[in-house]
Amino acid sequence: MIKILLKRPYFIYSFLALFLFLGIYGYNNINRKLFPDSNRPEVAVVIVEPGASAKEIASNIVVPVERELYTLDRIRRVYSTTIDEVTVIHAEFNYGKDIGTATTEVTQAVSKIRSDLPPDIREPQIYRIDSTLQPIVVISVSSKKLPLTDIREIAENDIKNTLLQVEGVANVDIFGGYKKEVMVIPDKKLLDKYNLSPAIIVATLSKHNRDFAIGSIENNFSKVLLKIKGKRDVLESIKNIPITSSIKLKDVAKVHFGHYENTALYYGNQNPAIALAVQRESDADVVKTIEKVEKTLKEMEKRYPSLHFEITDTQKDTIVQSTTNMFESLRDAIIMSTIVVFFFLASFRQVLVVLFTIPLVYASTVALMWITGIEFNVVTLTAIILALGLLLDDAVVVMENIERHYRELKKPIRRAVIEGTEEIMFSDLAGTITTMAALFPILFVGDYPQTIFRPLAGTLLLALAASYIISITAVPLLSMRLLAIKHPLILKFEEVFEKVISKLNNSFRMFFHNLVKAGIENRAVAGSYLLGLILLFVISVKGLMPIIGKELMPPMDTGIVKIGITVDPNLTIEDSKKVLEKTLKAIYSSGKVIRVSSSIGSEAGVLSIGSGGGIDSISITATYVNRFERKKTIWEIERELRRKIARIPNIEQFTVSDYGATALSSIKGNIDVTLYSSNFDSLEKAGKYVEKAIYSTKGITCVARSWNKNKKVYVLKVNEEKALSYGLTPEEIAFQLTQLLRGIKATSFPVINSKDFSIRVWMDKNSRDSVKTVENTLIQTKFGKIPLSTVAKVEAVYEPNVITREKLFYTLDIYGFREKAAITHIMDSFDKAFKKYETKIPPDVKLEQNGDVKQFTDSAKRMVRAIGFAVLLIFFVLVPMFNSVKAPLLIIVSIPLTLIGAAWSLLLFDYHISMPAMMGFVLLSGIIVNNAILLIDFALNGIKKGLTPKEAILESIKIRTRPVLMTAFATTAGMLPVAMGNAIGLERLAPLGAVAIGGLIVGTFLTLVFIPLLFIYTYKEAN
């Protein structure tokens, strides 16, 4: 085969040129993200019931909707968050459920029970919760000249429409309150004077301010619509609407443009603003779409010189910075690996072969990624860096064997290339296939590990295929050309380096040769080797592993801090605003800030931005300069922020955590204790004990709870008998008070090419600013007006500020965040702290751990199964290749030897056992067997040539030690940037590199000692 290929070099040239072109094209066109999508398919149902309390909504809406959603196929859990007037119910499905199908099923389920829900609810809104929901960029719009009501009007009617036309943009959510309305504020005294009521004004506006289609005037020649155009489009004409024959609206009410009570506010950096949250289409590239939005933004700045546009949150910077860092890490890996290869080979010409081969493999890999639809992100780019080691494993082994035939065996260059390649092809192929076999189970491991590591495994599989093909095509072809170079200066340099390096290589060879020989000739020595190995293995697995600890995913320093604050729920939105402004000062004084996006409260139907709670809830995303440009780590900044925020008054609780503190968005905190019950009092009692335990837990930096039972609610108790004597019912009283406290949307005000404004009849703030004022309010009866206190009294009660539910029970979550402590150590500490409270938990409360530890337990089981399948696949792949069971069993023995190095490297790098660490072991199991394959294959060939097992294996050590050590150290050098986390976001996968480095170095050393000894005992009868 090699002869045929070398006879047709232009076939190889054209093949490589094609993939080089496709690689360059693919590099420029592959989509870029920070991480692959890992959240489960989820659909949200938003239901609004005006005027309803959270408790009423939970009972009358959430419960029946939850029950219906639990009947859906592949549903994992249903949970909800309810505040006054609004509930958001989430249906989370298992991985593999198509999001489109899930959305359709949820829509049908809600429609099915629509008639059972309260009649006054607004039409339920259904939203897909996926990676496209999170805004790719948030733009704040503010002005020193225009009020926020006008800014919002421009944003809704023009700016949004412009952005929606940008290629790749799917939706733009507007957030920040200040929705413009026509406010009609009656004078209470004048109404009483003229014996009028707000209801009369509402009815008059509704009748007079509308268009009527009367019918058509039709004859033999035409058909023309006749209508009354009554809707006013000028504010002055609304003021002149007659209430009675002698009274106009302006006589008893103020009419002006304004806004309803804000349930949400937004700050862009430190300025009050209106936010535009831009969402992308599912197949749109994040970075390219943001760049197009930025270009459009510059055009809008010219169109609206009085408006100030700022980007307050963006995915672009982190992705671009991370991608740049990743390719810098790849550059460093190539440089370090090339130096290692030269150190072992002492040949500039062979190093040139490596330097030519590397871009060819990478171009081919990127081309295959583009063809198969794999995108660039931290995970796939990590795979590209790791692929360097696999490339070197293939290319260097082939090249070194060619060089041995050429230099040591003194064969002509063409013969050396052909025979050297053919001799090593089997070992090279076996190593490639075993590595592929190790990675293959990851493609189907399922659940969270599959979503994270499938792109990594897929990229590595493509790189392995490309690497092997190039190692047996391009490497021989290049070696034939480059090794034939006879320039005297190059030969002189190589001769000098060869003298020094050959001595080192010989010392390595003889070191392992003598160790193995001593073990073969002396059973006591071999026994001491084995005893030392067992002792080291037990210490590493039983002693080190518990100290190292476990976690789901390592934390990362992206420069982004997430802050959640809950203030006293009985305060106004203005008080929340003051808390926010003081927090912003703390943020800007804690480090160099690039941008800050801050929101108070939420708006119905807007899920992409906002706190998700009421006006007592504040959410802040602060972006500091990247970690390479500051001295403090993000965790040091967070500690400083906690100290400063703790001093701000009116804060009930707060959390400060780094971006990506939890691996999945559905995980509230690193530790999350969920309490389930049908009784709020039981939940509150149990919650206090759990909260005390978490506060005593080592490694937790901040603690919060999903709700507090401290929201004051006034209950109006109507004396029904007395009310009836005045001709009143509770419904009539509620309607009149609603007009006072909430106002009534009477009609609408037309706006050209836009949605109409509401016209709201609402009483003056002074008429509703206290309980006493409300009690003294005059309400209309059939006998005239009477004070409300005549037929009703007001009592205060305390309720949760938010109501949460899951698994058809009310819930209370007590959760906390960590910095870098292992989650298993945290859980051990919590279990000890919680023991003294365990017996105090009410019997009707069920407790469940829903933080990192739950997902880790499931994911770890899957990864262990994947490792088991990988080992079995490697074995079954090797059996037919060696036509034996003995050799594959010997090769498999090298895999557990890597555990020793993996454990010590995790300790050295200060990492925990995590999903990436386990993935590192999967990769390691595929790489380490290549060393054993090289040794055993050469020894078996020696036996076939007539050598004894002892002679064959000792000769194999002499010949194969250099390529084994060279590939091990070159691969290790290539993985160092990964282990060091030398890129934004790469910290997430750093343990993978650490495990691979430690396991490979120690495993290689042990393989060169113990595999030969086991080979002797296994093949001692061979002739």
Side-chain angles (χ1 to χ4, degrees):
M1 179 184 172
I2 300 301
K3 285 182 183 178
I4 296 169
L5 288 172
L6 291 178
K7 283 180 182 178
R8 300 181 65 85
Y10 285 96
F11 173 78
I12 299 174
Y13 292 147
S14 61
F15 177 79
L16 295 175
L18 173 64
F19 272 89
L20 191 62
F21 167 75
L22 289 175
I24 295 168
Y25 182 81
Y27 174 82
N28 292 311
N29 287 276
I30 288 178
N31 288 350
R32 288 163 167 78
K33 289 181 186 173
L34 186 59
F35 283 101
D37 302 332
S38 59
N39 289 311
R40 293 181 177 87
E42 192 170 330
V43 179
V45 182
V46 179
I47 301 178
V48 178
E49 185 179 13
S53 69
K55 216 168 183 179
E56 290 171 347
I57 293 175
S59 301
N60 302 328
I61 297 174
V62 177
V63 171
V65 172
E66 280 181 349
R67 285 175 181 161
E68 190 62 32
L69 292 178
Y70 265 114
T71 66
L72 299 180
D73 181 45
R74 303 200 70 186
I75 193 77
R76 183 173 180 267
R77 65 179 183 133
V78 179
Y79 63 100
S80 63
T81 303
T82 307
I83 58 176
D84 291 344
E85 300 190 347
V86 183
T87 184
V88 182
I89 306 164
H90 294 261
E92 183 182 89
F93 294 84
N94 287 310
Y95 286 112
K97 180 81 172 184
D98 178 68
I99 188 66
T101 304
T103 306
T104 302
E105 289 178 0
V106 169
T107 304
Q108 291 171 346
V110 174
S111 299
K112 183 179 174 182
I113 60 166
R114 179 67 175 82
S115 58
D116 298 331
L117 302 179
D120 59 335
I121 66 169
R122 293 178 187 167
E123 194 60 33
Q125 296 171 294
I126 313 295
Y127 295 91
R128 291 165 52 156
I129 308 296
D130 57 15
S131 61
T132 61
L133 180 71
Q134 184 183 5
I136 56 172
V137 62
V138 178
I139 304 162
S140 78
V141 189
S142 58
S143 176
K144 293 181 179 179
K145 299 177 180 178
L146 298 175
L148 288 171
T149 47
D150 289 348
I151 294 173
R152 175 140 192 167
E153 181 186 357
I154 295 168
E156 287 182 334
N157 299 337
D158 188 14
I159 298 173
K160 178 176 180 176
N161 294 342
T162 304
L163 290 173
L164 285 173
Q165 295 174 55
V166 174
E167 184 183 357
V169 172
N171 182 45
V172 179
D173 280 331
I174 311 293
F175 180 87
Y178 295 97
K179 285 188 178 181
K180 201 168 191 178
E181 292 185 345
V182 175
M183 310 300 294
V184 178
I185 312 295
D187 187 313
K188 193 76 171 61
K189 292 179 180 178
L190 291 174
L191 291 183
D192 293 339
K193 177 182 176 181
Y194 296 117
N195 198 27
L196 298 172
S197 68
I200 293 172
I201 293 177
V202 170
T204 303
L205 282 169
S206 180
K207 291 174 184 176
H208 285 75
N209 190 55
R210 59 183 293 193
D211 295 337
F212 296 91
I214 299 170
S216 298
I217 299 173
E218 188 174 352
N219 55 40
N220 293 333
F221 305 102
S222 65
K223 182 179 179 181
V224 182
L225 178 69
L226 177 64
K227 66 178 183 179
I228 296 176
K229 189 168 172 53
K231 185 166 279 193
R232 273 78 165 168
D233 57 4
V234 179
L235 204 62
E236 195 61 35
S237 63
I238 292 174
K239 293 178 182 179
N240 289 318
I241 289 177
I243 305 298
T244 66
S245 58
S246 58
I247 300 172
K248 294 181 180 179
L249 180 60
K250 65 182 180 182
D251 296 331
V252 292
K254 294 177 182 176
V255 181
H256 61 85
F257 286 115
H259 64 88
Y260 187 49
E261 277 189 346
N262 287 322
T263 60
L265 291 177
Y266 183 78
Y267 271 60
N269 295 328
Q270 290 181 293
N271 304 312
I274 299 299
L276 295 99
V278 181
Q279 298 163 295
R280 65 177 175 89
E281 293 174 348
S282 57
D283 59 346
D285 178 63
V286 175
V287 175
K288 289 176 182 175
T289 305
I290 293 174
E291 287 172 347
K292 290 169 187 173
V293 169
E294 289 173 342
K295 185 179 178 182
T296 305
L297 209 57
K298 289 178 181 177
E299 295 170 3
M300 287 194 289
E301 284 174 344
K302 295 176 183 176
R303 195 191 311 170
Y304 297 104
S306 60
L307 297 182
H308 180 52
F309 295 90
E310 286 183 289
I311 291 178
T312 54
D313 194 12
T314 178
Q315 295 182 26
K316 177 187 168 183
D317 290 355
T318 308
I319 293 171
V320 171
Q321 180 72 49
S322 177
T323 305
T324 303
N325 294 156
M326 292 298 282
F327 280 105
E328 287 170 351
S329 297
L330 177 59
R331 175 203 63 202
D332 297 340
I334 291 171
I335 292 169
M336 289 187 289
S337 298
T338 306
I339 291 170
V340 170
V341 170
F342 178 76
F343 176 80
F344 279 94
L345 294 178
S347 171
F348 288 109
R349 292 169 294 171
Q350 291 186 69
V351 168
L352 278 175
V353 174
V354 173
L355 291 176
F356 275 113
T357 306
I358 288 171
L360 291 174
V361 173
Y362 278 129
S364 302
T365 303
V366 171
L368 292 170
M369 287 175 68
W370 174 67
I371 291 167
T372 55
I374 297 175
E375 63 194 10
F376 279 159
N377 53 51
V378 169
V379 174
T380 55
L381 290 175
T382 300
I384 285 177
I385 296 173
L386 296 173
L388 177 65
L390 307 178
L391 153 67
L392 292 170
D393 205 2
D394 285 333
V396 169
V397 166
V398 173
M399 187 174 57
E400 189 272 343
N401 209 47
I402 291 171
E403 186 268 347
R404 186 175 65 85
H405 278 257
Y406 179 58
R407 184 180 293 182
E408 295 180 17
L409 302 181
K410 307 298 182 182
K411 295 179 181 178
I413 184 64
R414 186 176 183 83
R415 186 181 164 196
V417 167
I418 293 169
E419 292 182 5
T421 305
E422 287 177 344
E423 183 183 50
I424 205 70
M425 269 184 69
F426 174 78
S427 297
D428 196 12
L429 178 63
T432 300
I433 292 176
T434 52
T435 307
M436 284 181 161
L439 293 169
F440 189 73
I442 296 298
L443 299 177
F444 308 101
V445 69
D447 209 72
Y448 177 70
Q450 180 174 308
T451 63
I452 289 294
F453 297 124
R454 191 172 195 169
L456 184 139
T459 304
L460 285 173
L461 287 170
L462 296 177
L464 278 164
S467 176
Y468 178 72
I469 292 169
I470 287 172
S471 72
I472 62 169
T473 55
V475 170
L477 190 63
L478 289 167
S479 296
M480 196 160 63
R481 298 287 185 272
L482 295 175
L483 291 181
I485 296 173
K486 299 295 183 181
H487 195 283
L489 190 61
I490 293 175
L491 293 176
K492 184 66 177 174
F493 270 114
E494 286 185 356
E495 186 182 347
V496 172
F497 281 111
E498 171 65 20
K499 287 179 182 177
V500 178
I501 290 172
S502 61
K503 290 180 181 179
L504 289 170
N505 282 330
N506 287 330
S507 64
F508 283 134
R509 288 172 181 171
M510 295 314 297
F511 173 76
F512 288 105
H513 176 275
N514 294 334
L515 276 177
V516 173
K517 189 177 180 182
I520 293 171
E521 295 174 351
N522 191 324
R523 289 198 171 189
V525 173
S528 65
Y529 288 172
L530 184 61
L531 186 63
L533 177 65
I534 293 170
L535 187 63
L536 189 59
F537 189 84
V538 171
I539 291 171
S540 302
V541 175
K542 293 291 185 181
L544 277 185
M545 294 291 191
I547 294 171
I548 291 168
K550 300 170 186 175
E551 64 185 354
L552 181 59
M553 292 292 277
M556 57 182 177
D557 183 350
T558 60
I560 301 172
V561 177
K562 297 280 189 178
I563 302 171
I565 299 174
T566 303
V567 303
D568 186 334
N570 304 302
L571 298 176
T572 65
I573 198 168
E574 288 300 317
D575 294 308
S576 296
K577 190 175 167 182
K578 290 174 185 175
V579 169
L580 172 58
E581 288 170 350
K582 290 176 182 177
T583 306
L584 289 173
K585 288 180 181 177
I587 290 169
Y588 277 90
S589 65
S590 299
K592 189 176 179 182
V593 179
I594 300 174
R595 61 182 69 89
V596 183
S597 177
S598 315
S599 56
I600 300 173
S602 55
E603 293 189 15
V606 178
L607 302 182
S608 61
I609 188 171
S611 68
I615 60 171
D616 59 333
S617 181
I618 300 171
S619 177
I620 304 170
T621 300
T623 304
Y624 291 84
V625 294
N626 71 70
R627 60 189 170 97
F628 304 111
E629 297 176 16
R630 53 180 153 83
K631 294 179 180 179
K632 290 188 284 188
T633 67
I634 203 67
W635 298 284
E636 290 171 330
I637 291 172
E638 286 171 9
R639 283 179 222 142
E640 188 176 335
L641 281 171
R642 288 187 199 104
R643 289 194 296 269
K644 291 177 178 178
I645 294 172
R647 293 195 287 265
I648 298 174
N650 294 326
I651 292 179
E652 291 280 319
Q653 64 179 30
F654 70 91
T655 59
V656 179
S657 60
D658 39 284
Y659 172 77
T662 58
L664 292 167
S665 62
S666 57
I667 300 176
K668 291 185 177 72
N670 301 119
I671 182 172
D672 178 13
V673 182
T674 306
L675 304 171
Y676 302 86
S677 180
S678 300
N679 188 296
F680 283 113
D681 293 329
S682 296
L683 287 174
E684 177 71 10
K685 184 179 179 182
K688 288 179 180 177
Y689 295 127
V690 173
E691 194 170 2
K692 287 179 182 177
I694 295 182
Y695 270 115
S696 304
T697 300
K698 293 177 182 176
I700 293 297
T701 57
C702 50
V703 182
R705 50 195 288 157
S706 54
W707 53 263
N708 288 285
K709 197 177 178 181
N710 61 348
K711 182 182 177 183
K712 185 186 284 187
V713 176
Y714 290 114
V715 178
L716 186 67
K717 295 201 170 181
V718 179
N719 186 326
E720 293 186 10
E721 290 183 7
K722 203 167 186 180
L724 196 59
S725 66
Y726 287 97
L728 292 171
T729 63
E731 182 182 14
E732 174 62 26
I733 293 171
F735 178 73
Q736 291 194 44
L737 290 179
T738 298
Q739 294 174 337
L740 171 70
L741 299 176
R742 298 183 64 250
I744 298 289
K745 289 183 180 179
T747 179
S748 60
F749 182 85
V751 182
I752 297 172
N753 196 32
S754 180
K755 185 181 176 183
D756 292 356
F757 295 148
S758 296
I759 298 179
R760 185 184 297 271
V761 178
W762 202 14
M763 301 307 294
D764 185 76
K765 196 170 184 179
N766 294 331
S767 305
R768 48 187 170 84
D769 59 357
S770 69
V771 176
K772 192 73 176 174
T773 305
V774 173
E775 285 179 327
N776 292 331
T777 296
L778 298 177
I779 57 173
Q780 191 74 41
T781 73
K782 63 182 180 181
F783 303 114
K785 293 186 177 182
I786 61 169
L788 174 63
S789 57
T790 307
V791 294
K793 62 178 181 178
V794 177
E795 291 182 2
V797 297
Y798 286 88
E799 292 182 356
N801 57 331
V802 176
I803 293 178
T804 56
R805 286 178 58 85
E806 188 177 340
K807 295 182 179 178
L808 302 175
F809 285 98
Y810 292 108
T811 61
L812 173 59
D813 283 274
I814 315 295
Y815 55 94
F817 291 96
R818 61 166 185 153
E819 284 186 358
K820 292 186 178 181
I823 193 64
T824 48
H825 294 164
I826 288 171
M827 293 312 301
D828 290 342
S829 178
F830 170 78
D831 290 340
K832 287 178 184 176
F834 186 62
K835 271 185 180 178
K836 59 182 176 182
Y837 303 114
E838 209 163 358
T839 56
K840 298 179 181 180
I841 301 295
D844 62 333
V845 175
K846 178 189 170 186
L847 183 148
E848 185 179 352
Q849 293 287 354
N850 282 320
D852 283 351
V853 71
K854 182 179 180 180
Q855 185 63 61
F856 174 81
T857 304
D858 176 75
S859 298
K861 288 177 183 176
R862 292 176 183 275
M863 291 300 289
V864 169
R865 283 201 297 269
I867 292 168
F869 275 116
V871 173
L872 282 174
L873 275 175
I874 291 169
F875 176 74
F876 287 121
V877 163
L878 290 173
V879 168
M881 296 186 80
F882 280 90
N883 196 28
S884 163
V885 173
K886 287 182 181 179
L889 283 174
L890 277 177
I891 292 166
I892 292 297
V893 169
S894 63
I895 295 175
L897 298 178
T898 60
L899 279 172
I900 297 167
W904 287 96
S905 65
L906 285 173
L907 184 69
L908 180 66
F909 281 96
D910 194 23
Y911 295 144
H912 307 302
I913 299 167
S914 58
M915 291 302 101
M918 290 184 174
M919 183 63 209
F921 187 74
V922 171
L923 181 62
L924 188 58
S925 64
I927 296 174
I928 196 67
V929 294
N930 296 347
N931 297 335
I933 289 170
L934 281 173
L935 289 172
I936 291 171
D937 179 53
F938 194 89
L940 290 175
N941 286 332
I943 291 173
K944 288 176 184 176
K945 292 175 183 176
L947 298 176
T948 65
K950 178 181 176 181
E951 291 170 341
I953 197 66
L954 289 176
E955 183 66 16
S956 178
I957 291 171
K958 285 182 180 179
I959 301 299
R960 292 300 178 211
T961 294
R962 184 173 72 159
V964 166
L965 290 177
M966 180 166 51
T967 55
F969 282 105
T971 303
T972 296
M975 290 182 178
L976 263 176
V978 176
M980 299 296 290
N982 289 344
I984 301 295
L986 188 55
E987 307 104 305
R988 262 294 199 250
L989 299 174
L992 189 159
V995 165
I997 287 171
L1000 192 55
I1001 291 174
V1002 177
T1004 299
F1005 177 88
L1006 296 175
T1007 296
L1008 286 168
V1009 175
F1010 286 97
I1011 295 302
L1013 290 173
L1014 289 171
F1015 181 86
I1016 292 294
Y1017 291 113
T1018 305
Y1019 287 91
K1020 59 185 175 183
E1021 302 299 328
N1023 190 338

PDB file of all heavy atoms in Angstrom, residues 46-48 110-111 114 120-126:
ATOM      1  N   VAL A  46     -46.609  31.026  30.871  1.00  0.00           N
ATOM      2  CA  VAL A  46     -46.810  32.258  31.638  1.00  0.00           C
ATOM      3  C   VAL A  46     -48.301  32.595  31.632  1.00  0.00           C
ATOM      4  O   VAL A  46     -48.902  32.742  30.568  1.00  0.00           O
ATOM      5  CB  VAL A  46     -45.998  33.429  31.047  1.00  0.00           C
ATOM      6  CG1 VAL A  46     -46.238  34.704  31.859  1.00  0.00           C
ATOM      7  CG2 VAL A  46     -44.519  33.087  31.009  1.00  0.00           C
ATOM      8  N   ILE A  47     -48.863  32.699  32.834  1.00  0.00           N
ATOM      9  CA  ILE A  47     -50.295  33.013  32.951  1.00  0.00           C
ATOM     10  C   ILE A  47     -50.458  34.224  33.866  1.00  0.00           C
ATOM     11  O   ILE A  47     -49.890  34.264  34.956  1.00  0.00           O
ATOM     12  CB  ILE A  47     -51.092  31.811  33.506  1.00  0.00           C
ATOM     13  CG1 ILE A  47     -50.922  30.597  32.575  1.00  0.00           C
ATOM     14  CG2 ILE A  47     -52.569  32.163  33.654  1.00  0.00           C
ATOM     15  CD1 ILE A  47     -51.621  29.342  33.059  1.00  0.00           C
ATOM     16  N   VAL A  48     -51.236  35.181  33.395  1.00  0.00           N
ATOM     17  CA  VAL A  48     -51.485  36.419  34.142  1.00  0.00           C
ATOM     18  C   VAL A  48     -52.961  36.475  34.529  1.00  0.00           C
ATOM     19  O   VAL A  48     -53.837  36.280  33.685  1.00  0.00           O
ATOM     20  CB  VAL A  48     -51.122  37.662  33.292  1.00  0.00           C
ATOM     21  CG1 VAL A  48     -51.438  38.942  34.054  1.00  0.00           C
ATOM     22  CG2 VAL A  48     -49.656  37.611  32.888  1.00  0.00           C
ATOM     23  N   VAL A 110     -52.346  22.766  27.992  1.00  0.00           N
ATOM     24  CA  VAL A 110     -52.938  23.968  28.602  1.00  0.00           C
ATOM     25  C   VAL A 110     -54.298  24.252  27.965  1.00  0.00           C
ATOM     26  O   VAL A 110     -55.263  24.614  28.665  1.00  0.00           O
ATOM     27  CB  VAL A 110     -51.981  25.178  28.454  1.00  0.00           C
ATOM     28  CG1 VAL A 110     -52.653  26.456  28.951  1.00  0.00           C
ATOM     29  CG2 VAL A 110     -50.686  24.932  29.227  1.00  0.00           C
ATOM     30  N   SER A 111     -54.396  24.092  26.655  1.00  0.00           N
ATOM     31  CA  SER A 111     -55.678  24.311  25.961  1.00  0.00           C
ATOM     32  C   SER A 111     -56.753  23.345  26.459  1.00  0.00           C
ATOM     33  O   SER A 111     -57.926  23.700  26.567  1.00  0.00           O
ATOM     34  CB  SER A 111     -55.496  24.139  24.451  1.00  0.00           C
ATOM     35  OG  SER A 111     -54.576  25.063  23.948  1.00  0.00           O
ATOM     36  N   ARG A 114     -58.128  24.688  29.677  1.00  0.00           N
ATOM     37  CA  ARG A 114     -58.380  26.145  29.684  1.00  0.00           C
ATOM     38  C   ARG A 114     -59.715  26.494  30.314  1.00  0.00           C
ATOM     39  O   ARG A 114     -59.819  27.473  31.067  1.00  0.00           O
ATOM     40  CB  ARG A 114     -58.320  26.666  28.245  1.00  0.00           C
ATOM     41  CG  ARG A 114     -58.597  28.160  28.087  1.00  0.00           C
ATOM     42  CD  ARG A 114     -57.503  28.986  28.708  1.00  0.00           C
ATOM     43  NE  ARG A 114     -57.684  30.398  28.475  1.00  0.00           N
ATOM     44  CZ  ARG A 114     -58.495  31.185  29.203  1.00  0.00           C
ATOM     45  NH1 ARG A 114     -59.203  30.654  30.201  1.00  0.00           N
ATOM     46  NH2 ARG A 114     -58.598  32.467  28.936  1.00  0.00           N
ATOM     47  N   ASP A 120     -61.092  35.080  34.125  1.00  0.00           N
ATOM     48  CA  ASP A 120     -60.513  36.413  33.931  1.00  0.00           C
ATOM     49  C   ASP A 120     -59.012  36.389  33.629  1.00  0.00           C
ATOM     50  O   ASP A 120     -58.370  37.437  33.579  1.00  0.00           O
ATOM     51  CB  ASP A 120     -60.772  37.293  35.155  1.00  0.00           C
ATOM     52  CG  ASP A 120     -60.197  36.700  36.441  1.00  0.00           C
ATOM     53  OD1 ASP A 120     -60.032  35.462  36.498  1.00  0.00           O
ATOM     54  OD2 ASP A 120     -59.925  37.477  37.372  1.00  0.00           O
ATOM     55  N   ILE A 121     -58.427  35.185  33.440  1.00  0.00           N
ATOM     56  CA  ILE A 121     -56.996  35.155  33.109  1.00  0.00           C
ATOM     57  C   ILE A 121     -56.778  35.590  31.664  1.00  0.00           C
ATOM     58  O   ILE A 121     -57.656  35.439  30.821  1.00  0.00           O
ATOM     59  CB  ILE A 121     -56.389  33.743  33.317  1.00  0.00           C
ATOM     60  CG1 ILE A 121     -56.980  32.740  32.315  1.00  0.00           C
ATOM     61  CG2 ILE A 121     -56.546  33.278  34.740  1.00  0.00           C
ATOM     62  CD1 ILE A 121     -56.245  31.413  32.293  1.00  0.00           C
ATOM     63  N   ARG A 122     -55.608  36.154  31.415  1.00  0.00           N
ATOM     64  CA  ARG A 122     -55.250  36.481  30.051  1.00  0.00           C
ATOM     65  C   ARG A 122     -54.817  35.201  29.334  1.00  0.00           C
ATOM     66  O   ARG A 122     -54.504  34.199  29.968  1.00  0.00           O
ATOM     67  CB  ARG A 122     -54.116  37.507  30.025  1.00  0.00           C
ATOM     68  CG  ARG A 122     -54.554  38.868  30.564  1.00  0.00           C
ATOM     69  CD  ARG A 122     -53.410  39.851  30.568  1.00  0.00           C
ATOM     70  NE  ARG A 122     -53.780  41.091  31.232  1.00  0.00           N
ATOM     71  CZ  ARG A 122     -52.922  42.029  31.606  1.00  0.00           C
ATOM     72  NH1 ARG A 122     -51.635  41.852  31.369  1.00  0.00           N
ATOM     73  NH2 ARG A 122     -53.331  43.128  32.209  1.00  0.00           N
ATOM     74  N   GLU A 123     -54.776  35.266  28.029  1.00  0.00           N
ATOM     75  CA  GLU A 123     -54.431  34.075  27.260  1.00  0.00           C
ATOM     76  C   GLU A 123     -53.040  33.573  27.658  1.00  0.00           C
ATOM     77  O   GLU A 123     -52.061  34.326  27.627  1.00  0.00           O
ATOM     78  CB  GLU A 123     -54.448  34.402  25.761  1.00  0.00           C
ATOM     79  CG  GLU A 123     -54.429  33.190  24.858  1.00  0.00           C
ATOM     80  CD  GLU A 123     -55.622  32.265  25.072  1.00  0.00           C
ATOM     81  OE1 GLU A 123     -56.728  32.770  25.396  1.00  0.00           O
ATOM     82  OE2 GLU A 123     -55.440  31.059  24.920  1.00  0.00           O
ATOM     83  N   PRO A 124     -52.914  32.292  28.066  1.00  0.00           N
ATOM     84  CA  PRO A 124     -51.599  31.759  28.467  1.00  0.00           C
ATOM     85  C   PRO A 124     -50.576  31.877  27.342  1.00  0.00           C
ATOM     86  O   PRO A 124     -50.881  31.658  26.166  1.00  0.00           O
ATOM     87  CB  PRO A 124     -51.907  30.287  28.772  1.00  0.00           C
ATOM     88  CG  PRO A 124     -53.357  30.256  29.109  1.00  0.00           C
ATOM     89  CD  PRO A 124     -53.993  31.302  28.244  1.00  0.00           C
ATOM     90  N   GLN A 125     -49.349  32.237  27.718  1.00  0.00           N
ATOM     91  CA  GLN A 125     -48.256  32.369  26.746  1.00  0.00           C
ATOM     92  C   GLN A 125     -47.277  31.209  26.928  1.00  0.00           C
ATOM     93  O   GLN A 125     -46.897  30.885  28.063  1.00  0.00           O
ATOM     94  CB  GLN A 125     -47.527  33.700  26.945  1.00  0.00           C
ATOM     95  CG  GLN A 125     -48.406  34.921  26.684  1.00  0.00           C
ATOM     96  CD  GLN A 125     -47.724  36.209  27.102  1.00  0.00           C
ATOM     97  OE1 GLN A 125     -47.477  36.439  28.272  1.00  0.00           O
ATOM     98  NE2 GLN A 125     -47.410  37.047  26.130  1.00  0.00           N
ATOM     99  N   ILE A 126     -46.883  30.597  25.833  1.00  0.00           N
ATOM    100  CA  ILE A 126     -45.991  29.446  25.869  1.00  0.00           C
ATOM    101  C   ILE A 126     -44.632  29.844  25.304  1.00  0.00           C
ATOM    102  O   ILE A 126     -44.550  30.432  24.221  1.00  0.00           O
ATOM    103  CB  ILE A 126     -46.558  28.258  25.049  1.00  0.00           C
ATOM    104  CG1 ILE A 126     -48.038  28.021  25.381  1.00  0.00           C
ATOM    105  CG2 ILE A 126     -45.729  27.004  25.265  1.00  0.00           C
ATOM    106  CD1 ILE A 126     -48.313  27.586  26.784  1.00  0.00           C
TER     107      ILE A 126
END
